[in-house]
Amino acid sequence: ARAIRALRAAAAQQGINIGITDAYRPLADQIRLKRQKGRLAATPGRSNHGWGLAFDLSDAGRSLTRGSRAFQWLAANAPRFGIFGPLASPFEMWHWEYRGGGSNTPPTQQVPPAGPR
């Protein structure tokens, strides 16, 4: 949570509004999404959304696109906050994950090993 807050604040200082459309997903939501989205959703219980490590981000409420200013800012700056993406397969432009190791956030507790998405 500290890393994503710091990332959003840094982006806002440059006039970029990084929104969060989804973050933590309880198991019941993971199951529902798997039924709805099939292969586009992670296996319930293995989603990094369930660990609170994945975020679906937006560009001021609009979908991120490779050419958007927000996506370009994230690609250039998010790793400094320990946030990486898009990592999913199939490719999801909006899906970013906290992996740790960023230089702009305070130390955090041990992060569980990342599973698929």
Side-chain angles (χ1 to χ4, degrees), residues 18-61:
I18 306 290
I20 300 174
T21 59
D22 202 0
Y24 172 75
R25 290 184 191 146
L27 185 58
D29 288 353
Q30 295 175 48
I31 293 167
R32 178 183 51 78
L33 284 169
K34 185 65 171 175
R35 284 188 196 132
Q36 288 176 346
K37 298 186 178 217
R39 69 181 191 87
L40 290 176
T43 302
R46 298 200 60 204
S47 169
N48 281 341
H49 282 283
W51 287 103
L53 298 174
F55 315 94
D56 291 345
L57 303 178
S58 70
D59 179 0

